[in-house]
Amino acid sequence: MSQTKLFGTNGIRGTVNVELTPDMAVKVGCAVGTFFGAKKRLLIGYDARTSGPMFTRAVTSGLTATGCDVYLAGMAPTPALQFAVKNHKFDGGVIITASHNPPQYNGIKVIWKDGIEISHEQEEKIEKIYFTDKTVFADWKNLGVTHDLIGINSEYVEAIKTHVNTAKIAEKHFHVVVDAANSVGGLTAPVLMRDLGCKITSLNANIDGTFPGRLPEPRPENLAELAKLVKALGADLGVAFDGDADRSIFVDETGQIHMGDKSFGVVLKQYLLENLGAQVVTPVSSSTLIKDIADAYKGTIVWTKVGSVTVSQKMKEIKAKLGGEENGGVFYGPHQAVRDGAMTTALMLDIMAKTGKKFSQLVAEQPQYFIEKGKIECPEEKKLAVLEKLLELTKGLNTNTLDGVKIWFPDKSAILIRPSGTEPAYRMYAESKTQQRALQLVKEYTLKLEKMLETI
Ligand code: MG
């Protein structure tokens, strides 16, 4: 990690005992405690990773050293901890998780009192305390104390149930296959669906921080077993969570895996039918499919930069009640303005019950797009110059320049070209009504960027 940055796109992340060590975690705890201030009440929890308890103790040590009182929630999905911070009126919280990263990683996310992750400006304040050794330690009489807080997972499940028609869902006796990735999704989602009257078949439901069943990222290549099982059992729906259960990816009854744009589209359409003219927040990386649905049902899209915190913050700012990301993150404001895998699953069952349609039908009704991705290497020091040239080149086209450049073409094709946040590269996401046109767009802009790089 660099000498001035701790936080990446999604909190602090690193490989255990290499990039992220217990002594660093103590120091992060000290910086976070100093940021919140002595006497504040903070909630801490962790996902299923083997290093979770170790980092929880280290961060707690740092927090109590600065005089913060720490409430220990134990193992919990990120959205359950976020809900508890808000519900119990804590001053903030910390969750030890590396979300979708492989097992050897862990991370630290800091939560504000509204349950949303802290902003990048607040992260910078913590980094400054961390790197300039500005921790304010409490004296021995004023050290923080720790308390156990049990039951946050069941409170979270109960809260989700208040947002859906439980009786209507129960009437349908849906059979759902749940792939919990051997992590915290297994602590809440199966209980929720059982309460909703569903028949549950569990896959990778035992907690195991080595993630023996599959990698924690719910990508199609990791979900073959789930897809096969849904089809073989004749189940109505399959759902897979990421490592901290804030994202959910769905499988229809034919065993087809649908990426996040499509499941978000299903939720979006129903939401707009019931909330005419509502504002919806989504990053520029989302498919045109989302824009099409919003246009068709009189919704207004508010675009943001890529990143879940940005979506949450924008929802809060404009009081929007729905947000979504292409990676399977749906933000349902009436519950909480953060990504929430179990809430999304409940919404999906609610929509299937209300409409009487199978998940495959709900997806088939949507406009169809083909997607192609591309990547071109670009040294960090050239990223800005490339962006400037790209802005110049695309002047006059229908673009959005919030995060890289997104171009919409008259034939309903689109391409997003943005600098990678984690690698020395530019990434491209093209979509079109035909695979050929999407591929052609990636090729065309790869050539353009290569030319630019030669002259910079
Ligand atoms: Mg996650």
Side-chain angles (χ1 to χ4, degrees):
M1 283 183 205
S2 79
Q3 283 311 291
T4 53
K5 286 226 60 78
L6 268 178
F7 292 89
T9 334
N10 269 300
I12 300 166
R13 291 269 170 96
T15 45
V16 175
N17 284 349
V18 180
E19 293 164 334
L20 184 60
T21 58
D23 51 328
M24 276 173 72
V26 172
K27 204 175 160 189
V28 169
C30 290
V32 171
T34 302
F35 165 76
F36 278 102
K39 304 287 174 205
K40 291 291 192 295
R41 296 163 64 248
L42 304 175
L43 183 65
I44 191 165
Y46 52 95
D47 71 13
R49 289 165 194 276
T50 53
S51 56
M54 172 179 95
F55 284 125
T56 299
R57 288 185 178 99
V59 173
T60 301
S61 172
L63 292 171
T64 51
T66 61
C68 289
D69 290 339
V70 181
Y71 290 72
L72 308 164
M75 208 181 273
T78 292
L81 191 108
Q82 291 176 296
F83 180 76
V85 165
K86 192 174 62 148
N87 191 34
H88 287 267
K89 296 189 168 57
F90 282 105
D91 295 299
V94 174
I95 181 122
I96 307 298
T97 176
S99 186
H100 61 274
N101 284 145
Q104 64 272 30
Y105 282 79
N106 212 337
I108 304 168
K109 280 187 187 186
V110 183
I111 312 294
W112 191 239
K113 61 184 176 188
D114 55 9
I116 299 174
E117 272 173 67
I118 56 168
S119 66
H120 296 307
E121 292 74 30
Q122 289 171 316
E123 287 177 350
E124 279 166 17
K125 285 185 186 167
I126 293 171
E127 281 166 345
K128 204 165 171 198
I129 299 165
Y130 183 95
F131 288 109
T132 57
D133 292 319
K134 290 282 161 54
T135 291
V136 181
F137 287 108
D139 65 34
W140 67 273
K141 295 191 292 302
N142 292 307
L143 295 175
V145 292
T146 57
H147 307 271
D148 288 322
L149 181 71
I150 51 166
I152 70 160
N153 288 335
S154 49
E155 289 167 5
Y156 163 75
V157 167
E158 288 307 312
I160 289 174
K161 280 155 54 182
T162 64
H163 296 286
V164 293
N165 189 334
T166 51
K168 191 128 196 155
I169 297 171
E171 272 173 24
K172 299 283 182 181
H173 304 293
F174 289 126
H175 180 184
V176 186
V177 186
V178 184
D179 180 347
N182 297 106
S183 193
V184 287
L187 300 176
T188 50
V191 179
L192 168 69
M193 283 179 259
R194 184 198 63 200
D195 288 0
L196 294 173
C198 298
K199 178 184 171 188
I200 308 295
T201 301
S202 300
L203 180 63
N204 306 320
N206 57 314
I207 296 284
D208 187 334
T210 66
F211 296 90
R214 66 162 166 93
L215 286 172
E217 178 148 33
R219 295 172 60 83
E221 57 266 38
N222 298 332
L223 305 182
E225 208 181 349
L226 172 67
K228 231 186 277 172
L229 201 55
V230 171
K231 193 175 174 195
L233 295 173
D236 297 288
L237 189 70
V239 58
F241 300 104
D242 74 328
D244 64 335
D246 59 348
R247 284 163 50 190
S248 49
I249 291 292
F250 296 92
V251 175
D252 72 27
E253 74 287 353
T254 72
Q256 180 78 32
I257 302 165
H258 296 286
M259 289 316 289
D261 274 328
K262 297 192 176 181
S263 42
F264 175 42
V266 170
V267 175
L268 175 62
K269 177 180 167 183
Q270 189 65 31
Y271 181 76
L272 289 175
L273 283 171
E274 293 169 14
N275 299 273
L276 210 68
Q279 287 185 306
V280 185
V281 180
T282 200
V284 286
S285 50
S286 286
S287 167
T288 305
L289 158 72
I290 299 304
K291 192 173 178 298
D292 289 349
I293 294 172
D295 289 346
Y297 297 94
K298 312 261 179 291
T300 310
I301 296 270
V302 179
W303 300 104
T304 68
K305 287 188 177 211
V306 176
S308 67
V309 186
T310 319
V311 175
S312 291
Q313 303 284 1
K314 182 54 85 178
M315 284 176 70
K316 194 174 134 188
E317 182 194 322
I318 64 170
K319 297 191 170 61
K321 294 279 184 265
L322 188 67
E325 290 180 321
E326 47 77 36
N327 60 12
V330 173
F331 308 60
Y332 188 63
H335 174 53
Q336 54 180 352
V338 301
R339 297 193 292 205
D340 191 323
M343 182 71 240
T344 310
T345 310
L347 289 173
M348 212 55 82
L349 294 169
D350 197 42
I351 294 166
M352 286 164 63
K354 266 179 196 160
T355 60
K357 289 177 183 169
K358 293 178 186 303
F359 184 58
S360 65
Q361 281 175 280
L362 292 164
V363 172
E365 288 171 356
Q366 299 176 341
Q368 305 296 317
Y369 285 93
F370 293 91
I371 293 174
E372 285 290 339
K373 293 182 183 181
K375 187 169 113 177
I376 172 164
E377 281 174 27
C378 171
E380 289 296 334
E381 64 275 13
K382 289 191 177 180
K383 278 184 175 172
L384 194 61
V386 168
L387 187 61
E388 279 165 5
K389 282 202 178 279
L390 205 52
L391 289 172
E392 210 172 292
L393 180 78
T394 55
K395 227 182 244 173
L397 296 177
N398 180 13
T399 60
N400 181 307
T401 56
L402 267 178
D403 196 347
V405 179
K406 174 127 184 188
I407 315 161
W408 287 282
F409 300 96
D411 68 348
K412 303 225 70 173
S413 305
I415 187 165
L416 172 68
I417 307 153
R418 64 183 287 266
S420 163
T422 50
E423 284 176 78
Y426 260 80
R427 290 183 183 281
M428 283 174 244
Y429 311 83
E431 58 177 341
S432 182
K433 291 286 180 189
T434 66
Q435 193 93 46
Q436 197 190 3
R437 168 76 170 138
L439 195 61
Q440 182 245 326
L441 275 172
V442 170
K443 281 185 183 160
E444 182 186 331
Y445 278 87
T446 301
L447 278 175
K448 284 180 175 167
L449 258 72
E450 276 170 358
K451 273 212 173 126
M452 281 177 199
L453 277 162
E454 280 169 18
T455 61
I456 292 167

